[in-house]
Amino acid sequence: MKNKKLLVTGASGYLGGRLCYALINQGNHVKAFVRPTSDLSSVPPPTDGGNNGGALELVYGDVTDYSSLLEACSHCQVIFHAAALVEPWLPDPSKFSSVNVGGLKNILQVYKEIKSVEKIIYTSSFFALGSTDGYIADEGQIHSGKLFCTEYERSKAIADKIALDAAAEGVPIVAVYPGVIYGPGKLTAGNVVARLIIERFNGRLPGYIGQGNDRFSFSHVDDVVEGHIAAMDKGRPGQRYLLTGENASFKDVFDVAAAITGTKKPLFSIPLAVIEVYGWLLVIFSRITGKLPLISPPTVYVLRHQWAYSFEKAKAELNYAPRSLEEGLAEVLSWLKSSRLIKY
């Protein structure tokens, strides 16, 4: 599906910016939907698409503002709804619902009102499926709704049900579920791996986080981008696809990083109870300064569970082939070193 007019919400985000670049390189006309206050450093520069190349058009608005979204979607064949509020904690938790739930509702309403949209690629999250303590889950898992570690998780689970209900009603929506996204690029809350590596290599995180019995599915950002494009080209409407990767602990991340760089592994583990107390202190500090904390108590609640998933369905239907954690971390470490954010 090339030479289409596409809308990307969340285009200024960590994933959205790289998705815009990839779609333009395929020769598409991309409308990058951004807020007037957004940092556009990771968004491709606007171009008119001369010589049959891809084009990028900046369109301003907010997914919570229906009229601006409706205007932005005009004449688009595909909507990539990647906009989301991705934070483990916010002083005003109602924002998660307004952006992550309300934004999707607005997208679905736009689809009903304009007739040009052929497909919606909705970026959900592994959190929408729920934890996987002691097993590896696939797309058949539905969040129990009984326990939420974060308000972000709650909002994505609610939005996921809305997306599935819309699909059942015939809306051509394809839901994709990245794991913990990491890689070079913007150092947002969504790029937690790079941020923790920076803390580790600068001596501010001297030990492992917890006892190493956590489990996450790590997804390199460029693999996730390719998975989104494959979902546009090959994804079956109404289906869910896990765009996850290697299942590992954060202890594994630190150990692999040490092996790659030839540096020492941490000598001890920091108990989660200690990290939780530290998180509460950072929350108090955040309320004073307005700067969001790197670690907060909800982060610890997440670390007390496992989030391991299989990408076999995406592999079979989308030719999704994520790189290993070792290969991905080697790239991240090289980027952080060349950016002078770490030394080794």
Side-chain angles (χ1 to χ4, degrees):
M1 191 180 286
K2 298 180 181 179
N3 300 315
K4 294 278 187 179
K5 183 170 281 192
L6 318 171
L7 181 83
V8 177
T9 69
S12 64
Y14 176 42
L15 173 64
R18 294 180 88 86
L19 179 59
C20 286
Y21 272 105
L23 291 169
I24 291 167
N25 289 338
Q26 283 198 339
N28 296 294
H29 180 125
V30 177
K31 297 175 78 173
F33 191 60
V34 296
R35 289 171 295 154
T37 56
S38 293
D39 171 12
L40 304 182
S41 59
S42 61
V43 183
T47 173
D48 61 6
N51 299 320
N52 296 317
L56 184 118
E57 175 187 352
L58 284 174
V59 286
Y60 293 92
D62 193 299
V63 293
T64 63
D65 176 16
Y66 181 74
S67 60
S68 67
L69 192 59
L70 180 65
E71 184 177 352
C73 291
S74 177
H75 305 299
C76 288
Q77 284 83 50
V78 179
I79 298 173
F80 285 91
H81 182 42
L85 193 53
V86 184
E87 293 284 352
W89 176 87
L90 285 176
D92 179 7
S94 67
K95 289 183 178 179
F96 288 111
S97 179
S98 61
V99 175
N100 298 345
V101 179
L104 177 61
K105 286 181 177 179
N106 282 341
I107 288 286
L108 295 172
Q109 186 60 40
V110 163
Y111 167 77
K112 294 176 182 178
E113 188 158 340
I114 64 176
K115 305 303 179 184
S116 62
V117 177
E118 301 166 9
K119 212 169 196 179
I120 299 169
I121 311 301
Y122 166 53
T123 309
S124 186
S125 164
F126 67 94
F127 281 118
L129 276 66
S131 60
T132 65
D133 299 330
Y135 63 95
I136 297 175
D138 61 17
E139 289 83 356
Q141 176 157 307
I142 302 294
H143 202 297
S144 68
K146 296 177 181 177
L147 172 70
F148 297 103
C149 297
T150 68
E151 288 302 314
Y152 170 74
E153 179 188 351
R154 185 193 302 274
S155 69
K156 295 303 278 189
I158 293 170
D160 188 51
K161 185 179 186 307
I162 292 169
L164 295 178
D165 289 346
E169 294 171 3
V171 176
I173 187 168
V174 180
V176 293
Y177 302 79
V180 177
I181 300 178
Y182 74 100
K186 206 167 185 178
L187 287 170
T188 64
N191 198 356
V192 66
V193 173
R195 295 175 69 189
L196 287 175
I197 288 174
I198 291 171
E199 296 300 299
R200 165 69 191 141
F201 277 78
N202 283 287
R204 294 187 293 268
L205 186 57
Y208 295 115
I209 298 174
Q211 302 303 312
N213 54 358
D214 57 289
R215 212 80 180 153
F216 292 89
S217 203
F218 291 93
S219 308
H220 190 283
V221 64
D222 292 332
D223 294 334
V224 175
V225 165
E226 289 181 12
H228 275 70
I229 295 173
M232 172 178 68
D233 294 335
K234 305 171 186 175
R236 291 181 289 141
Q239 294 297 306
R240 315 163 94 196
Y241 297 97
L242 277 159
L243 301 183
T244 51
E246 187 174 332
N247 293 309
S249 68
F250 274 100
K251 178 181 184 298
D252 295 327
V253 170
F254 286 169
D255 285 350
V256 171
I260 290 170
T261 59
T263 56
K264 291 182 179 180
K265 297 179 182 180
L267 297 176
F268 61 93
S269 297
I270 306 171
L272 289 180
V274 174
I275 296 173
E276 183 175 355
V277 171
Y278 179 60
W280 281 116
L281 293 174
L282 289 183
V283 163
I284 294 170
F285 187 68
S286 172
R287 291 189 183 278
I288 297 170
T289 65
K291 184 179 179 181
L292 292 177
L294 174 62
I295 293 175
S296 59
T299 308
V300 178
Y301 306 155
V302 169
L303 288 165
R304 289 196 173 115
H305 294 273
Q306 295 182 349
W307 315 80
Y309 308 92
S310 167
F311 56 82
E312 288 302 312
K313 181 179 178 180
K315 180 181 178 181
E317 296 191 20
L318 307 180
N319 292 327
Y320 178 68
R323 68 203 70 190
S324 69
L325 183 60
E326 183 178 1
E327 182 183 352
L329 285 178
E331 184 181 345
V332 172
L333 289 160
S334 176
W335 162 65
L336 290 174
K337 184 178 182 181
S338 64
S339 301
R340 297 182 179 179
L341 293 168
I342 64 172
K343 294 179 181 180
Y344 59 84

